[in-house]
Amino acid sequence: MGGAHAIGLLLCSLVLLIDPAISHPLCIDSRAPSTLSTPLKFCSYNGTACCNSTEDSQIQKQFLSMNISTSACSSILKPVLCARCDPFAAELFVVDSVPRPVPILCNSTLPSANSSQSLIQVTKDFCSNLWDTCANVSISNSPFAPSLQGQAGIPVNSTVSELTQFWQSKADFCNAFGGVSSDESVCFDGEPVKLNDTGTPIPPHGLCLEKIGNGSYLNMVAHPDGSNRAFFSSQEGKVWLATIPEEGSGEAMGLDESSPFVDLTDAVHFDTAFGMMGMAFHPNFAQNGRFFASFNCDKEKWPGCTGRCSCNSDVNCDPSKIGTDNGAQPCQYQTVIAEYTANASGSQPSLATSAKPSEVRRIFTMGLPFTGGHGGQILFGPEDGYLYLMMGDGGGKGDPYNFSQNKNSLLGKIMRLDVDNVLSASENTKLNLWGNYSIPKDNPVSEDQELRPEIWATGLRNPWRCSFDSENPAYFICADVGQDLYEEVDVITKGGNYGWNIYEGPYPYALQNSTSKNTSTQLKDLTFPIMGYNHSEVNKKEGSASVTGGYIYRSATDPCMYGRYVYGDLYAGAIWAGSEDPENSGNFSTSKIPFSCGRDSPIACTSIPGSSLPSLGYIFSFGEDNRKDLIVLASSGVYRVVRPSRCNYTCSKENATSAETQGPSASPNDACWISNPPKSTVFLVSSLVLLLLLSLIQV
Ligand SMILES: *[C@@H]1O[C@H](CO)[C@@H](O)[C@H](O)[C@H]1NC(C)=O
Ligand SMILES: *[C@@H]1O[C@H](CO)[C@@H](O)[C@H](O)[C@H]1NC(C)=O
Ligand SMILES: *[C@@H]1O[C@H](CO)[C@@H](O)[C@H](O)[C@H]1NC(C)=O
Ligand SMILES: *[C@@H]1O[C@H](CO)[C@@H](O)[C@H](O)[C@H]1NC(C)=O
Ligand SMILES: *[C@@H]1O[C@H](CO)[C@@H](O)[C@H](O)[C@H]1NC(C)=O
Ligand SMILES: *[C@@H]1O[C@H](CO)[C@@H](O)[C@H](O)[C@H]1NC(C)=O
Ligand SMILES: *[C@@H]1O[C@H](CO)[C@@H](O)[C@H](O)[C@H]1NC(C)=O
Ligand SMILES: *[C@@H]1O[C@H](CO)[C@@H](O)[C@H](O)[C@H]1NC(C)=O
Ligand SMILES: *[C@@H]1O[C@H](CO)[C@@H](O)[C@H](O)[C@H]1NC(C)=O
Ligand SMILES: *[C@@H]1O[C@H](CO)[C@@H](O)[C@H](O)[C@H]1NC(C)=O
Ligand SMILES: *[C@@H]1O[C@H](CO)[C@@H](O)[C@H](O)[C@H]1NC(C)=O
Ligand SMILES: *[C@@H]1O[C@H](CO)[C@@H](O)[C@H](O)[C@H]1NC(C)=O
């Protein structure tokens, strides 16, 4: 058993090394790079970059003020300063969340103690080169002075200095500035970051599933303690704590429908488009027992349903003029985020198997204008610990009040809230907040004061399942349900505008009938999807498609899926995998992936009549357990992605990694439960999952 454990450990670490997830284009302030209309004059970046012309000329000024006395040193330092315009600037400059004044300079000598690092090939010794060229050259306002790095040291001013004044030797200097970035991939070697084109990636032959549950759930969240347990919730408002079986054990998941972890059905308004839409467990849940539910309520049925109406004079919306599709009053239905505790007994929250449905604190309440399109997923950012709330445009075909583009409306937005620092009631009122939370200092409002302070991203229609990549949390990916033509997947970055309702995916939408032809100012800052599909691809009927976002697959179980973003269509029961090519470029190509049900599935799959293919029904959501195994939550039950060979799909990488693990009882990563936590300090969530059925389609 000990041997098997060791092999398991070895294999799970091996797979992580084979294909480390690396960087993707992102600027120092965590915004996405923007497209340049003309190449930068000084830094000469073209295409996409993290600088605009203003910043380019600031860099030029800085460069001139350095008055570098030799041309050799001058020409090596210019690209160093310009690296902040690189589309990969965040990777180059930000180490452990702290931006540095100069990028990480490629260094040939890597510490050999850590075997994972010795795998990295750094071909150019740029740091050493820079030292050899510039060590004795005088530089004014040197960015290499130690005090600028936040270390105690010689104060810097416009005084002229040489590197040798601050640093005793090359080794000393390169220890401070050299290396590879935190994810062991990108460093600056004097040239803009280039990625290798690997050619069109070969899509996997298929996705092999096994059925491990009969129930129909909207959300799944792995237990924050890293164990083989996960929470599942139903649209009606019950949450269960289940155990996830070992692959190949032949067991279904352990979930007793008759004894939920918590039952919130008294508060939750359950109807086609309404119910419990999301849940999130605090990153320190195992210690503090804090958890959060996102659900809809009905003002006429539950006294706690008391939010302000999102249709109000701030956003040019008169509730008395709104007609809802089912005769309900506008804002009769609301979206609520409520906090609960699993610490009531005072015992260790990670041991809790149930919790009281008594609300500890109301985080957020907002009345909804119509009856559909209100998202509702919540999840904690794995790096910042803030709560992200995904909100749709509120329904109504085409977003008739243009809420999604309105900086004053929280509809059609992704919000980012601090639930650890709650303000006093008077401060809440002063800031006109929608509940009990505070605003993270670096929310986009810090740079655009017209935005409501809660907003992280705008221009969404109905974000239906977002996830942070567990290997590279800067990849925050959301699927956004379309209107008539197109279902999209976006990489969400700070302050990004994803286009709805000006665009539906790549297609002009509100623009079509707009009388104003001068739309260039409106369009220049929109971010277009990285993946998606036309409705015609899954269904000939207009509007009858609805994307369900998934995860970047990070399990060792199916090595041919590793690193691919898996997502589906709610109605079509179709699944796609998106692959990045070149790797880490942000360019994705996508293909529909066949799937089937593996032999020895713990629960027999139901087949589509006249076929051997499994019938999943609606794909509500996806989940990721603590082993990073991917779970499909469908109307027909709970399915897990298993080794491709169990479905007779060939995957040469599987053969390579499973040579020593025979038989269906030896999953390649049986030993990975706790031994392989994500890099971030926060151990949990990311996940989650859902649906809205017909509500996703607009009236
Ligand atoms: C950017 O510059 C490179 C090299 O100078 C050139 O090959 C490329 O075509 C340019 N791209 C654009 C979009 O101008
Ligand atoms: C360049 O970017 C800065 C900071 O993001 C902004 O303040 C400035 O207005 C931009 N300048 C131009 C010309 O777009
Ligand atoms: C730049 O350096 C030269 C000598 O190296 C000096 O004569 C000149 O005054 C300096 N210029 C500025 C603006 O500091
Ligand atoms: C810098 O100057 C010192 C003293 O002149 C010399 O010993 C050293 O080799 C020089 N360093 C470099 C990197 O040129
Ligand atoms: C830099 O020098 C100027 C004038 O030489 C002085 O006023 C200023 O206080 C100095 N700044 C620092 C941080 O030492
Ligand atoms: C960089 O290289 C120097 C020698 O050139 C070495 O002493 C140092 O440890 C290296 N630093 C890092 C962070 O790799
Ligand atoms: C890119 O390809 C070259 C040549 O094939 C290889 O030496 C280098 O390590 C690759 N770089 C990355 C970042 O994969
Ligand atoms: C799931 O449903 C099937 C068919 O109704 C039944 O045979 C099986 O026992 C159920 N399994 C579990 C674990 O509930
Ligand atoms: C958990 O409960 C215990 C006893 O009831 C209490 O002392 C403690 O402060 C609670 N912890 C949190 C984080 O609420
Ligand atoms: C929404 O935007 C469209 C297109 O810009 C415009 O025609 C329409 O009047 C706007 N609707 C409202 C309620 O402001
Ligand atoms: C544009 O106008 C046409 C014809 O009046 C209409 O069918 C269509 O729905 C309109 N599109 C939008 C986005 O309002
Ligand atoms: C896989 O192949 C084996 C041997 O050819 C066959 O017995 C089995 O039914 C196949 N399984 C599936 C799921 O197609």
Side-chain angles (χ1 to χ4, degrees):
M1 231 26 239
H5 183 74
I7 290 168
L9 273 181
L10 177 67
L11 287 171
C12 49
S13 32
L14 254 186
V15 170
L16 292 177
L17 293 178
I18 290 166
D19 197 358
I22 330 191
S23 46
H24 77 115
L26 199 69
C27 303
I28 296 174
D29 63 359
S30 67
R31 288 174 186 277
S34 45
T35 307
L36 297 168
S37 42
T38 53
L40 297 178
K41 277 206 185 75
F42 179 67
C43 287
S44 47
Y45 275 84
N46 64 7
T48 63
C50 286
C51 298
N52 59 24
S53 54
T54 318
E55 290 152 327
D56 183 51
S57 53
Q58 279 162 359
I59 292 172
Q60 183 173 24
K61 250 185 228 151
Q62 184 193 356
F63 180 73
L64 293 176
S65 80
M66 286 164 67
N67 197 18
I68 303 160
S69 57
T70 73
S71 62
C73 177
S74 175
S75 60
I76 205 168
L77 288 187
K78 178 180 165 181
V80 170
L81 293 191
C82 285
R84 66 179 57 244
C85 300
D86 199 285
F88 289 84
E91 284 298 318
L92 293 171
F93 283 84
V94 184
V95 178
D96 296 334
S97 311
V98 181
R100 311 171 3 142
V102 283
I104 297 151
L105 308 174
C106 293
N107 196 15
S108 64
T109 321
L110 290 160
S112 57
N114 185 332
S115 62
S116 74
Q117 295 194 0
S118 68
L119 289 182
I120 309 291
Q121 307 275 316
V122 175
T123 47
K124 263 201 200 168
D125 190 355
F126 183 72
C127 187
S128 174
N129 212 351
L130 191 150
W131 175 266
D132 292 341
T133 316
C134 296
N136 287 331
V137 174
S138 38
I139 302 172
S140 302
N141 302 314
S142 176
F144 297 102
S147 57
L148 287 179
Q149 268 203 303
Q151 300 166 7
I154 303 151
V156 210
N157 206 327
S158 60
T159 47
V160 177
S161 60
E162 287 103 48
L163 296 183
T164 48
Q165 264 175 264
F166 307 124
W167 308 101
Q168 295 193 334
S169 63
K170 186 195 289 187
D172 201 15
F173 177 78
C174 288
N175 265 332
F177 294 101
V180 289
S181 51
S182 53
D183 58 15
E184 305 170 357
S185 58
V186 179
C187 56
F188 190 67
D189 67 359
E191 303 281 343
V193 174
K194 280 197 200 71
L195 297 163
N196 283 346
D197 195 338
T198 50
T200 307
I202 302 154
H205 288 102
L207 203 58
C208 188
L209 304 174
E210 66 175 6
K211 188 172 181 182
I212 56 171
N214 279 332
S216 163
Y217 310 103
L218 291 199
N219 294 279
M220 169 188 155
V221 183
H223 196 295
D225 71 0
S227 67
N228 64 341
R229 298 179 299 165
F231 295 95
F232 289 79
S233 71
S234 64
Q235 191 175 350
E236 290 89 335
K238 287 185 188 175
V239 179
W240 292 271
L241 180 55
T243 52
I244 310 291
E246 297 293 328
E247 185 189 340
S249 65
E251 286 169 31
M253 60 182 209
L255 185 155
D256 178 0
E257 291 255 355
S258 67
S259 90
F261 179 79
V262 70
D263 181 347
L264 305 176
T265 48
D266 285 348
V268 172
H269 173 64
F270 169 56
D271 199 350
T272 320
F274 294 113
M276 179 162 161
M277 296 295 160
M279 62 177 169
F281 292 77
H282 192 279
N284 298 326
F285 172 79
Q287 289 77 45
N288 66 21
R290 298 179 71 191
F291 69 99
F292 303 81
S294 166
F295 58 84
N296 302 115
C297 62
D298 178 348
K299 209 155 69 165
E300 299 195 339
K301 300 208 185 107
W302 187 55
C305 201
T306 54
R308 207 151 83 217
C309 189
S310 59
C311 165
N312 58 45
S313 56
D314 291 351
V315 293
N316 306 318
C317 181
D318 178 352
S320 69
K321 302 222 167 95
I322 278 199
T324 57
D325 35 13
N326 68 350
Q329 297 305 305
C331 294
Q332 175 176 341
Y333 306 113
Q334 316 218 338
T335 283
V336 166
I337 315 293
E339 176 175 346
Y340 302 88
T341 181
N343 185 36
S345 63
S347 69
Q348 225 178 306
S350 61
L351 301 178
T353 53
S354 68
K356 288 218 177 84
S358 8
E359 202 174 335
V360 172
R361 178 184 290 123
R362 179 67 55 87
I363 302 294
F364 181 90
T365 320
M366 184 172 81
L368 300 165
F370 302 104
T371 56
H374 44 75
Q377 185 187 8
I378 48 177
L379 58 106
F380 281 96
E383 296 211 304
D384 58 25
Y386 295 128
L387 188 72
Y388 290 77
L389 162 57
M390 301 355 127
M391 180 59 70
D393 66 9
K397 183 173 166 64
D399 188 12
Y401 288 83
N402 303 319
F403 291 129
S404 292
Q405 288 295 324
N406 188 329
K407 293 177 176 186
N408 230 344
S409 171
L410 296 183
L411 294 163
K413 306 298 186 307
I414 289 173
M415 290 171 246
R416 183 184 187 239
L417 314 176
D418 181 347
V419 296
D420 287 338
N421 297 290
V422 174
L423 301 176
S424 70
S426 65
E427 286 171 306
N428 281 339
T429 314
K430 201 169 84 197
L431 291 169
N432 203 20
L433 301 183
W434 294 76
N436 293 303
Y437 49 83
S438 61
I439 304 297
K441 275 198 200 65
D442 59 339
N443 266 15
V445 67
S446 61
E447 286 144 58
D448 180 353
Q449 315 226 318
E450 290 174 12
L451 285 170
R452 281 289 316 162
E454 293 86 350
I455 294 172
W456 182 251
T458 58
L460 284 306
R461 183 174 172 277
N462 191 18
W464 194 241
R465 302 301 121 166
C466 303
S467 67
F468 287 93
D469 177 15
S470 57
E471 286 287 303
N472 181 9
Y475 261 140
F476 176 26
I477 301 187
C478 287
D480 191 22
V481 178
Q483 176 78 67
D484 297 331
L485 296 173
Y486 194 81
E487 300 300 305
E488 72 182 73
V489 176
D490 300 299
V491 173
I492 303 297
T493 52
K494 176 178 173 180
N497 182 341
Y498 297 88
W500 179 249
N501 63 357
I502 305 173
Y503 272 83
E504 179 187 9
Y507 305 117
Y509 188 78
L511 278 181
Q512 294 169 46
N513 298 346
S514 174
T515 45
S516 154
K517 294 291 169 216
N518 184 12
T519 48
S520 55
T521 49
Q522 246 181 327
L523 301 186
K524 80 176 187 334
D525 294 323
L526 302 185
T527 303
F528 286 93
I530 53 162
M531 287 173 257
Y533 52 94
N534 287 311
H535 288 191
S536 58
E537 198 181 315
V538 292
N539 199 315
K540 298 285 172 262
K541 237 175 93 201
E542 231 189 38
S544 54
S546 183
V547 67
T548 300
Y551 287 82
I552 295 189
Y553 187 83
R554 293 301 184 190
S555 170
T557 302
D558 180 349
C560 288
M561 286 305 296
Y562 189 85
R564 298 172 198 267
Y565 180 72
V566 180
Y567 60 107
D569 185 84
L570 179 75
Y571 300 107
I575 295 177
W576 289 262
S579 314
E580 223 177 352
D581 181 42
E583 209 171 297
N584 310 313
S585 62
N587 294 335
F588 283 81
S589 60
T590 167
S591 44
K592 211 185 264 184
I593 302 292
F595 54 86
S596 58
C597 192
R599 55 176 172 262
D600 311 323
S601 175
I603 301 173
C605 301
T606 312
S607 297
I608 292 170
S611 140
S612 62
L613 297 174
S615 162
L616 302 182
Y618 297 125
I619 298 179
F620 292 151
S621 196
F622 292 86
E624 186 184 60
D625 69 17
N626 280 320
R627 273 198 291 211
K628 308 295 161 219
D629 273 327
L630 185 72
I631 313 282
V632 182
L633 302 181
S635 54
S636 65
V638 179
Y639 300 81
R640 169 166 60 185
V641 174
V642 297
R643 290 180 297 114
S645 56
R646 286 180 62 190
C647 291
N648 294 350
Y649 291 129
T650 31
C651 164
S652 55
K653 292 182 195 161
E654 178 190 7
N655 301 336
T657 56
S658 63
E660 290 184 67
T661 48
Q662 290 113 13
S665 63
S667 163
N669 62 351
D670 278 354
C672 293
W673 277 122
I674 308 221
S675 54
N676 185 19
K679 275 187 244 166
S680 53
T681 45
V682 176
F683 199 49
L684 119 57
V685 175
S686 112
S687 87
L688 342 138
V689 224
L690 141 101
L691 140 62
L692 297 196
L693 278 177
L694 300 166
S695 63
L696 294 173
I697 295 194
Q698 295 309 329
V699 284

